[in-house]
Amino acid sequence: MHVTAPRAEHRTDPLGLGESRPRLSWTTATDRPGWRQSAYEIEAGTERFTAESAESVLVPWPFAPLTSRQRVQVRVRVRSAEGDWSGWSPPAAFEAGLLHPADWSARFVSPPADEHLLRGDFTVRQAVTAARLHVTALGVYEAELNGVRVGDHVLAPGWTSYHHRLRYQTFDVTGLIRPGPNTLGAVLADGWYRGRLGFEGGATGIYGDRLALLAQLELTFADGGTRTFGTGPGWRCAAGPLIAASIYDGETHDARLEVPGWSSPAPPPDPATWRPVEVVEHDLATLVAPTGPPVRRTGELAPVEVLTSPSGRTVLDFGQNLVGRLRITAEGAAGERVVLRHAEVLEEGEPATRLLRTAAATDVYVLRGGGPEVWEPRFTFHGFRYASVEGPADPGLVRAVVCHTDMPRTGRFECSDPLVERLHENAVWSMRGNFLDLPTDCPQRDERLGWTGDLQVFAPTAAFLYDCAGLLESWLADVAAEQAPSGAVPVAVPNVLGERSAFAAAGWGDAIVLVPWTLYRRYGDAGLLERCFPAMCRYVDHVAELAGPSRLWTEGYQFGDWLDPAAPPDRPGAGRTPKEVVATAYLAHSAGVLARAAEVLGRDAERERYQALAAAVGEAFAAAYVRPEGTVLGDSATGYALALTFGLLPEPGQREFAGRRLAEVIAEGGHRIATGFLGTPLVCDALTEAGQVATAYRLLLQRECPSWLYAVTMGGTTIWERWDSLRPDGTVNLGEMTSFNHYALGAVADWLHRCVAGLAPAAPGYRRLLIRPRPGGGLTRARAALRTPYGPAEAAWRLDGEQAGELDGGLEVTAVVPPNTSALVHLPGAEPFEVGSGRHRWTVPGPGRPSGSGLGSGLGSGGQSHRLIGGLLG
């Protein structure tokens, strides 16, 4: 038994924790089959706590609360069900950040004009044993200490609802402190705080018109003494090489204006260049520590091809639609310019910049001259596959630097169809590009907003692919903070669209209910559910009030099944499914989920209340929108998918009819996609649960437009916003709302994980797995692997024959069940059964083989003989 070092909350870095009682998680690695934990012991410094408990995920802090700056070594050991103890885990050093506003003695300081460089000088006369820098900005910043970059964060402090929550970062800078003179400096830029945000031109200065820095450096000396140095009246500012920096429009850097040694003690600052800063007031109570990882550079790509466009431009193709920026190497005379323009696709051989709308997405570097110069923008990002390069930069040395929130990758999928694998990879790349500090809709045009509907449908996929719990915890805190007094949830959070965003829209506002529930199901975080619960109730109560006594949500603007392929290009909400069907279905679903959340939290009164509401809305839905035989108003794929997956068809005959009719609707459309943002994530599940798995596979494997694989066959490397963002003739969709990097329609990846490969949670946090593969569609193998909160899990299957369904072939299913968990196993042709942790393998007849012909030993069940070999491997 080997226990991992404990983890605090959902943090990958336990420095600067914002919780005084951080919950702890650990995993146990062991080759003992069926292993279970019966007790644990936690050691924090000189204290120990022992509990007779099998819990190992988000375990409550058992000691006195941490105080600001307190650092403690924590380790864990566990006892098996047989009574033997493991060794101690490696220690984890947990350190609290600044937990109270009074802990800050530094003040926000602002340059009086457009200066971007700030510095403060101090002297160290004793040996330093520890140094911590707590820092944030109104705007975005990069800090330097004695000429060395602090940390590796990109676009810190990130984007939150700044009026409510402003994150600060904590860095260990012990190794950067020098005896004698020291200088702490920072570069400021507009970022999301002061920069342009929103579409249709957007607006600037939404949060404020002054950039500002807050930095507090705390030193601990060898004799135990301490000293704090922070931003205040003695700081100075100066102009520098940063001419402009905009999230949408790009960055301009004039290297001729660089200030050598600007963040170093020598040379001392010239009073003629460095002007005094101004102290500005900002509510320190809004400061919060991060709950997830920062944005970082996570990779780089070289061009796969250097093209010359019809107009003579040099265009680089990186072979992958990505999010980040370019790093260039240039050589030329002082004053020469390198101009970089970014685009996702080519249109008639030229970068399709019209799709960016008003976003310039252009970076400019002005050379200082005198030798090779390497430059990468710091305060912007772009969504692109192609980039045109104008000026004296070597195209062969240009690199695309990939940037996104540095979430640990947790889930993977593979199968025998390369196109399906590429579809899954496209969903991964779209998540990488759009999980840049918060979940956005797209990363390239003048939008890049935290649309709630997109994340609501994609959250199950996201929680499988990456450990995004910390990032989404922060975003949900903003959702709750931005919630209107009425209970309405803005359709985009942070809300920079103002009143036009602050209304209840079905499928969008429901994110405040459904995303916390998804995170509870995938990570086992009941504490997050508890924190979100009041906002969840306010939203459902508000929508129930809008529905009124009829319990039908028919009032107000609705997006409906957004981007149904049948909708006109200029009316993306005008799909086949009546909007009142979509809205009422979501009210019933959210009320039911809220009742389940109340049950988890032990809130019996709320459970009964929302169960009754869900039942009443469901009855109203069935009476108003469902015919006696089961036809759903609109007779659309989305309507049936909603009714089936949300449990809105009260009679078994209606459910059977709706399942058959859904398959017929899909077949009548040539097995092409007939759903939009809200129907697409549900349609394969609805077909599967209705026993129409073959139709679900035909829908998945369709290659003609509109379909998931159509974009793959057209060379797509991310998920598109529109099914026909690129038309079959190779021309780009003429709509002004055409993105090639929107993850919402990639939510089908969750079905690939759970149903194709067969790996799903049967209990919160995967404490119990559901292993239930559903082979089909001509696939000969599939596999899903996930690092659950309890350790690695896996489900895989393979057909023995070379072709799926071969009569003499068997189906081999393998599974990995993490220690301290179990799995419910559903194999084709066999009754469900339970297994403990370990590696398992079973063989059953293949899809085309009669269940009476045998492999292995028979297991009797209900008078029918099922052939199955089961056991542990290793």
Side-chain angles (χ1 to χ4, degrees):
M1 298 180 290
H2 299 281
V3 184
T4 60
R7 181 181 178 185
E9 295 292 330
H10 298 290
R11 292 279 299 268
T12 54
D13 176 9
L15 181 65
L17 295 174
E19 298 82 11
S20 61
R21 293 181 175 272
R23 296 170 298 171
L24 308 178
S25 302
W26 60 85
T27 60
T28 302
T30 177
D31 57 6
R32 299 183 190 179
W35 186 89
R36 287 283 188 172
Q37 174 187 303
S38 64
Y40 63 80
E41 187 169 28
I42 303 173
E43 181 184 83
T46 60
E47 295 184 279
R48 285 190 181 180
F49 176 83
T50 305
E52 298 289 325
S53 171
E55 299 302 316
S56 60
V57 172
L58 299 171
V59 173
W61 181 256
F63 307 110
L66 298 176
T67 58
S68 295
R69 309 175 182 86
Q70 184 178 353
R71 183 177 178 87
V72 61
Q73 296 276 348
V74 180
R75 59 179 187 166
V76 177
R77 65 174 185 154
V78 300
R79 190 183 69 199
S80 72
E82 292 74 29
D84 54 327
W85 284 92
S86 71
W88 286 101
S89 73
F94 293 170
E95 184 173 316
L98 304 183
L99 303 178
H100 309 288
D103 295 324
W104 292 89
S105 57
R107 306 280 298 280
F108 277 93
V109 296
S110 175
D114 289 329
E115 293 90 346
H116 295 280
L117 304 179
L118 289 81
R119 66 175 282 162
D121 300 285
F122 61 99
T123 301
V124 174
R125 295 185 173 86
Q126 303 177 59
V128 171
T129 57
R132 299 290 183 267
L133 176 64
H134 310 282
V135 56
T136 189
L138 306 180
V140 290
Y141 75 89
E142 284 189 3
E144 297 188 10
L145 184 54
N146 294 325
V148 179
R149 169 80 187 279
V150 174
D152 58 0
H153 297 192
V154 172
L155 293 168
W159 188 14
T160 52
S161 178
Y162 295 123
H163 296 318
H164 304 282
R165 301 172 61 251
L166 174 63
R167 287 193 298 256
Y168 69 91
Q169 287 73 45
T170 298
F171 298 98
D172 182 350
V173 293
T174 308
L176 300 182
I177 299 295
R178 303 173 180 173
N182 287 257
T183 298
L184 176 61
V187 190
L188 295 182
D190 289 355
W192 298 276
Y193 184 82
R194 194 174 70 172
R196 181 161 70 99
L197 296 173
F199 41 86
E200 298 175 354
T204 59
I206 292 174
Y207 296 104
D209 59 2
R210 296 286 300 271
L211 302 181
L213 175 72
L214 179 71
Q216 186 161 305
L217 178 65
E218 300 184 344
L219 307 178
T220 301
F221 301 112
D223 63 1
T226 61
R227 179 189 171 193
T228 297
F229 169 74
T231 46
W235 278 59
R236 293 185 172 271
C237 59
L242 188 64
I243 305 303
S246 164
I247 297 292
Y248 293 171
D249 298 322
E251 185 169 325
T252 299
H253 181 102
D254 190 340
R256 297 171 300 177
L257 302 179
E258 291 175 351
V259 182
W262 72 272
S263 63
S264 298
D270 181 355
T273 303
W274 290 87
R275 300 197 296 161
V277 298
E278 296 178 7
V279 174
V280 296
E281 295 300 321
H282 188 84
D283 185 3
L284 298 180
T286 63
L287 297 176
V288 295
T291 58
V295 177
R296 289 191 174 100
R297 300 166 178 84
T298 62
E300 62 179 58
L301 297 177
V304 298
E305 190 174 7
V306 179
L307 308 169
T308 300
S309 75
S311 66
R313 291 181 178 178
T314 298
V315 178
L316 308 182
D317 176 5
F318 291 94
Q320 172 64 55
N321 197 14
L322 60 95
V323 172
R325 55 268 189 120
L326 300 177
R327 186 176 67 247
I328 63 169
T329 300
E331 186 168 5
E336 286 194 82
R337 294 157 55 91
V338 177
V339 181
L340 310 170
R341 295 183 173 89
H342 305 77
E344 293 187 296
V345 294
L346 300 180
E347 196 167 20
E348 297 181 353
E350 301 287 349
T353 55
R354 73 170 179 85
L355 304 180
L356 305 176
R357 299 191 300 215
T358 66
T362 299
D363 298 326
V364 178
Y365 179 72
V366 183
L367 276 68
R368 77 176 72 89
E373 303 173 40
V374 178
W375 179 72
E376 174 190 332
R378 295 185 289 177
F379 300 115
T380 190
F381 66 90
H382 310 287
F384 65 100
R385 171 175 171 169
Y386 299 91
S388 68
V389 180
E390 173 189 330
D394 185 340
L397 297 179
V398 176
R399 295 294 181 266
V401 180
V402 180
C403 299
H404 59 82
T405 295
D406 193 14
M407 307 165 290
R409 180 75 184 268
T410 51
R412 299 185 183 275
F413 171 84
E414 60 187 50
C415 72
S416 58
D417 190 322
L419 293 182
V420 176
E421 289 190 322
R422 181 67 238 193
L423 169 67
H424 188 270
E425 188 67 6
N426 288 1
V428 172
W429 274 98
S430 278
M431 179 176 175
R432 292 178 71 180
N434 283 291
F435 274 57
L436 195 151
D437 202 62
L438 55 83
T440 58
D441 60 326
C442 61
Q444 73 297 96
R445 67 187 182 214
D446 59 348
E447 196 163 346
R448 315 186 197 190
L449 304 178
W451 289 95
T452 51
D454 300 51
L455 191 276
Q456 183 266 126
V457 299
F458 192 73
T461 297
F464 184 95
L465 297 177
Y466 286 89
D467 182 353
C468 56
L471 179 151
L472 293 181
E473 179 183 355
S474 176
W475 181 74
L476 285 167
D478 283 332
V479 174
E482 296 271 24
Q483 189 174 28
S486 66
V489 169
V491 296
V493 175
N495 182 13
V496 297
L497 302 179
E499 292 184 0
R500 58 179 172 170
S501 172
F503 64 94
W508 273 252
D510 296 88
I512 189 55
V513 177
L514 302 181
V515 175
W517 181 251
T518 294
L519 298 184
Y520 167 68
R521 293 291 302 166
R522 299 305 177 95
Y523 298 106
D525 192 346
L528 175 63
L529 208 59
E530 181 77 54
R531 289 191 294 276
C532 293
F533 191 74
M536 297 163 72
C537 293
R538 286 196 298 272
Y539 173 76
V540 172
D541 290 346
H542 173 62
V543 176
E545 183 178 355
L546 293 177
S550 73
R551 293 308 189 205
L552 301 176
W553 190 4
T554 59
E555 301 298 323
Y557 177 83
Q558 296 289 347
F559 294 107
D561 191 29
W562 189 252
L563 287 172
D564 176 334
D570 60 340
R571 297 173 59 209
R576 283 165 280 210
T577 309
K579 292 182 178 179
E580 61 269 25
V581 170
V582 174
T584 304
Y586 260 95
L587 172 56
H589 182 51
S590 284
V593 167
L594 185 51
R596 296 168 69 187
E599 183 175 13
V600 170
L601 300 175
R603 296 173 178 262
D604 293 339
E606 289 92 339
R607 174 183 56 79
E608 293 177 2
R609 174 184 173 190
Y610 292 112
Q611 279 179 342
L613 175 61
V617 177
E619 291 172 3
F621 180 96
Y625 305 138
V626 183
R627 292 179 182 171
E629 79 283 357
T631 300
V632 177
L633 182 66
D635 194 36
S636 69
T638 291
Y640 289 114
L642 288 167
L644 286 164
T645 57
F646 290 176
L648 300 176
L649 302 169
E651 301 298 329
Q654 291 179 325
R655 293 193 291 272
E656 292 173 7
F657 175 90
R660 292 195 306 272
R661 183 58 191 147
L662 174 59
E664 291 171 358
V665 169
I666 298 297
E668 289 166 3
H671 294 92
R672 297 180 182 88
I673 287 289
T675 51
F677 267 35
L678 299 184
T680 297
L682 304 178
V683 65
C684 285
D685 272 301
L687 288 166
T688 301
E689 294 307 314
Q692 304 287 342
V693 178
T695 301
Y697 269 105
R698 290 194 65 178
L699 190 63
L700 170 71
L701 299 175
Q702 174 64 255
R703 300 185 185 185
E704 295 183 7
C705 186
S707 70
W708 284 294
L709 295 188
Y710 166 74
V712 178
T713 65
M714 294 296 288
T717 61
T718 41
I719 302 297
W720 297 351
E721 179 178 24
R722 294 180 181 267
W723 296 106
D724 61 346
S725 287
L726 193 66
R727 292 171 170 172
D729 63 3
T731 60
V732 178
N733 190 299
L734 295 177
E736 62 90 26
M737 193 184 75
T738 300
S739 159
F740 288 84
N741 198 348
H742 259 66
Y743 53 60
L745 299 178
V748 68
D750 185 52
W751 183 76
L752 297 179
H753 306 148
R754 292 183 292 101
C755 295
V756 174
L759 179 60
Y766 295 86
R767 184 65 180 272
R768 187 179 185 227
L769 308 182
L770 175 61
I771 307 295
R772 190 177 188 181
R774 291 180 170 91
L779 299 184
T780 59
R781 59 177 174 84
R783 171 181 174 268
L786 175 67
R787 196 187 72 199
T788 76
Y790 294 90
E794 183 178 316
W797 57 265
R798 178 183 297 272
L799 288 169
D800 289 345
E802 292 184 1
Q803 296 182 356
E806 197 173 43
L807 289 179
D808 61 350
L811 175 70
E812 180 185 83
V813 179
T814 58
V816 175
V817 181
N820 210 27
T821 72
S822 62
L824 177 64
V825 183
H826 284 252
L827 300 180
E831 292 296 318
F833 58 94
E834 195 91 12
V835 298
S837 65
R839 302 182 65 87
H840 303 268
R841 181 177 64 199
W842 308 277
T843 304
V844 296
R849 184 171 186 165
S851 61
S853 59
L855 286 175
S857 58
L859 295 181
S861 175
Q864 181 179 5
S865 177
H866 296 276
R867 304 290 181 173
L868 177 146
I869 298 174
L872 285 167
L873 297 179

